[in-house]
Amino acid sequence: MSRNSFKDLLPESRILDSVNDCEAYGHDWCRAYEGKASAVLLPENTREVQAIVQRAGEQKIALIPSGGRTGLSASATATSGEVVVSLERMRKIYGIDIAEQTIHCQAGVITEQIQRAAKEHGLYYPIDLASAGSSQIGGNIATNAGGIHVIRYGSTRQWVLGLEVVTGRGEILNLNGKLVKNQTGYDFRSLFVGSEGTLGFITECTLRLTRLPRSFPRIFCAAREMSDALRILELARSVSNSISAFEFFTEACLQYVLQHHSFRRPFSTVYPYYFVIEVEDMTDEESLRFQELFATALEQAWVSDVIFSQSQQQADDFMELRERIGETTASHYVVQKNDISVPVSSIPAFLRDVDELAKSTFVGCDILLFGHVGDGNIHLNIVKGEGLSRDEFFALCRAKESTIFELIAKYHGAVSAEHGIGLLKKDYLHYSRTMPDVELMRGVKRVFDPDGILNPGKIFDL
Ligand SMILES: Cc1cc2nc3c(=O)[nH]c(=O)nc-3n(C[C@H](O)[C@H](O)[C@H](O)COP(=O)(O)OP(=O)(O)OC[C@H]3O[C@@H](n4cnc5c(N)ncnc54)[C@H](O)[C@@H]3O)c2cc1C
């Protein structure tokens, strides 16, 4: 393919094909693959996206829908000369409806801008992830992004009211508008959430918003056993319905963050596990009950140390320690990221088993475990050891990772909790989905994208 295939559809300045652009737009944050796009197209509206898809269909050109490229599973990566279609110029916010608590915008709007726009109107978009400053809302929808507030607010899916999409057939579909209730047949909107760009381009969306919480106080605590965290979660839930985050990380993670950022170690003593618990708009009565709960927890040695935030700044610093882990490893190290989930009650046993297995399998590498306890979502980062070259490291991951996925299957877990399958986890999809499942997915793909031009080879092969 060359820029000639699309040159009558877009101005020259919105077709990029320099080596640098093709490389930069050709991959996401997953660095296991090189970006090899043949061109990058920058449409500004839905009609332009439609024209691009129709042309690609005629000429059988593979397209990669591309958002903020913060994905971690190589689902926005071009490995064999595909054309990247970036929605970065589609950043219009059409409006916020305060009465209906909705926002309507183009899909290329950055997540943080949605959060900010909502806040300016006294409203709240609760999906929050460490990549919110770069990820786009279209990318969040295409990956059903989760983040730290899933325990209270669910994933992106729960906040998508309506979508406008361009399918692989080049049709524009308006899915649900801004209806709260609509039982008129199959819900295609839901199908597009989490579809990783394989069914169509999300070009516009209407999102639900909610009341803006007044404060986000947080409790930072340390424990020696993961099983005690579940006890704390259970007790915390009996105190408040407003637990909006319950995050954990290990001492190894803390060391990585402290090495690259100027945060202070929260406790002078080193502990195996740390937790950040957020309780939105904590009332005085709840605060008192949490203090009683943690006094008992200290007495019983379920936790070893605890700090209640005294200011929003301190609360933010607690969460930064957790949120900086992913970015620190991705920016400064060669890392294989696994984003897995198991039933919440299985977390302690699974963590023990996966830690042992990973340490004995990836000898010389650091094993970092962190994640969202309340959702059963664990991030397992394997950091390349100094004795291995980059290629040796990724070869080792490819050769040995199935042992991790066998363990996940044993615990009835999922090989991806929120980052998606993309290219990185494609070979392991069968650990979480059956053959009939995957066959049905292929069928759905053929309906929306009969020529197979949208993000081919991602999630599964046709
Ligand atoms: C530091 C860091 C922290 C992160 N934390 C979290 C977290 O807590 N929770 C979480 O869920 N994820 C997290 N992620 C992963 C990532 O940010 C999310 O997957 C995010 O939703 C991707 O959005 P994006 O715009 O960057 O999409 P991209 O990476 O550009 O694309 C992701 C997928 O969506 C498709 N896509 C993008 N835009 C469109 C569109 N308009 N129409 C159709 N398909 C499209 C692409 O083809 C691709 O398949 C994190 C990433 C980083 C780097």
Side-chain angles (χ1 to χ4, degrees):
M1 127 76 210
S2 73
R3 60 164 52 229
N4 289 340
S5 303
F6 298 97
K7 72 173 189 194
D8 57 323
L9 304 182
L10 297 179
E12 206 174 322
S13 61
R14 291 199 274 123
I15 304 181
L16 316 176
D17 59 2
S18 72
V19 173
N20 281 352
D21 285 331
C22 289
E23 198 277 327
Y25 284 84
H27 65 79
D28 55 20
W29 271 59
C30 170
R31 299 293 148 83
Y33 306 85
E34 274 177 55
K36 290 184 185 158
S38 60
V40 182
L41 307 180
L42 305 172
E44 291 187 344
N45 56 54
T46 305
R47 289 282 166 204
E48 287 184 352
V49 174
Q50 180 183 39
I52 290 167
V53 173
Q54 286 172 342
R55 179 64 50 81
E58 286 154 20
Q59 301 194 7
K60 304 286 176 282
I61 295 169
L63 301 177
I64 307 230
S66 180
R69 302 194 307 283
T70 65
L72 293 169
S73 62
S75 63
T77 296
T79 53
S80 42
E82 300 93 326
V83 172
V84 170
V85 182
S86 167
L87 271 73
E88 68 183 29
R89 299 278 187 109
M90 294 180 59
R91 288 194 178 179
K92 284 197 190 94
I93 296 184
Y94 296 115
I96 291 191
D97 187 324
I98 296 175
E100 296 201 2
Q101 299 195 321
T102 57
I103 182 168
H104 175 209
C105 63
Q106 285 186 308
V109 177
I110 300 288
T111 315
E112 207 170 70
Q113 284 164 358
I114 305 247
Q115 296 167 338
R116 217 175 286 145
K119 198 171 175 184
E120 280 164 14
H121 291 77
L123 292 168
Y124 184 48
Y125 182 62
I127 301 298
D128 196 13
L129 37 165
S131 53
S134 308
S135 70
Q136 297 176 5
I137 194 63
N140 293 164
I141 295 169
T143 55
N144 188 23
I148 56 171
H149 290 144
V150 172
I151 185 172
R152 176 156 167 76
Y153 291 102
S155 305
T156 300
R157 184 184 304 283
Q158 274 73 31
W159 298 89
V160 177
L161 207 49
L163 291 180
E164 178 191 74
V165 301
V166 176
T167 69
R169 291 170 178 268
E171 298 154 329
I172 298 174
L173 303 182
N174 282 294
L175 307 175
N176 197 56
K178 51 180 188 172
L179 294 179
V180 176
K181 287 184 153 188
N182 178 5
Q183 182 45 40
T184 55
Y186 301 149
D187 182 5
F188 295 144
R189 165 192 52 162
S190 203
L191 209 49
F192 275 80
V193 180
S195 60
E196 298 186 38
T198 59
L199 302 178
F201 282 85
I202 296 156
T203 48
E204 291 186 12
C205 62
T206 301
L207 304 170
R208 287 170 53 217
L209 302 172
T210 188
R211 186 189 70 87
L212 180 67
R214 286 179 302 279
S215 63
F216 299 88
R218 292 172 184 144
I219 302 164
F220 191 91
C221 64
R224 296 194 186 279
E225 300 292 338
M226 195 67 193
S227 51
D228 291 327
L230 292 195
R231 202 193 305 255
I232 298 294
L233 175 62
E234 188 188 318
L235 291 171
R237 278 180 160 152
S238 72
V239 172
S240 174
N241 280 329
S242 307
I243 294 163
S244 42
F246 199 118
E247 301 286 304
F248 91 98
F249 53 93
T250 59
E251 166 63 21
C253 299
L254 181 62
Q255 283 178 17
Y256 270 72
V257 172
L258 295 181
Q259 211 173 320
H260 293 279
H261 300 282
S262 54
F263 295 112
R264 281 179 45 211
R265 184 176 267 285
F267 303 119
S268 49
T269 310
V270 166
Y271 298 106
Y273 299 106
Y274 302 99
F275 303 90
V276 186
I277 305 164
E278 179 182 280
V279 187
E280 254 177 40
D281 290 341
M282 193 191 291
T283 62
D284 290 347
E285 191 199 329
E286 281 173 346
S287 169
L288 211 62
R289 288 187 63 199
F290 272 114
Q291 283 174 32
E292 285 164 11
L293 185 162
F294 276 95
T296 311
L298 282 167
E299 226 171 76
Q300 300 290 329
W302 300 332
V303 297
S304 309
D305 232 328
V306 62
I307 314 173
F308 283 67
S309 65
Q310 298 301 314
S311 64
Q312 197 56 56
Q313 184 57 54
Q314 192 181 21
D316 291 347
D317 288 349
F318 291 163
M319 194 57 92
E320 285 272 301
L321 290 174
R322 156 65 187 88
E323 289 226 285
R324 292 289 181 146
I325 302 166
E327 170 252 300
T328 302
T329 55
S331 304
H332 299 282
Y333 301 89
V334 176
V335 59
Q336 178 80 343
K337 288 180 177 276
N338 288 284
D339 147 53
I340 55 200
S341 71
V342 292
V344 175
S345 56
S346 304
I347 291 181
F350 176 75
L351 270 189
R352 195 185 49 238
D353 287 358
V354 82
D355 194 30
E356 262 173 36
L357 178 68
K359 280 180 178 148
S360 61
T361 309
F362 301 96
V363 179
C365 298
D366 277 351
I367 304 302
L368 304 185
L369 290 160
F370 56 100
H372 319 285
V373 182
D375 319 331
N377 181 184
I378 294 153
H379 298 305
L380 161 65
N381 281 6
I382 305 164
V383 184
K384 181 182 88 62
E386 281 183 6
L388 293 170
S389 71
R390 193 176 181 283
D391 288 348
E392 283 167 346
F393 172 68
F394 284 120
L396 176 69
C397 291
R398 275 192 298 277
K400 299 285 183 184
E401 254 188 343
S402 53
T403 56
I404 307 269
F405 297 116
E406 276 157 23
L407 188 65
I408 295 167
K410 193 180 123 194
Y411 279 90
H412 308 289
V415 299
S416 171
E418 53 180 17
H419 295 166
I421 296 296
L423 285 179
L424 195 66
K425 304 298 170 197
K426 184 167 77 168
D427 292 344
Y428 311 112
L429 183 60
H430 66 277
Y431 286 107
S432 292
R433 304 296 294 260
T434 63
M435 283 304 284
D437 273 2
V438 177
E439 207 36 58
L440 283 169
M441 287 198 247
R442 288 195 179 101
V444 172
K445 164 93 175 155
R446 283 187 206 106
V447 170
F448 284 93
D449 179 23
D451 296 318
I453 54 167
L454 290 186
N455 223 356
K458 306 295 164 45
I459 309 180
F460 48 77
D461 290 316
L462 270 180

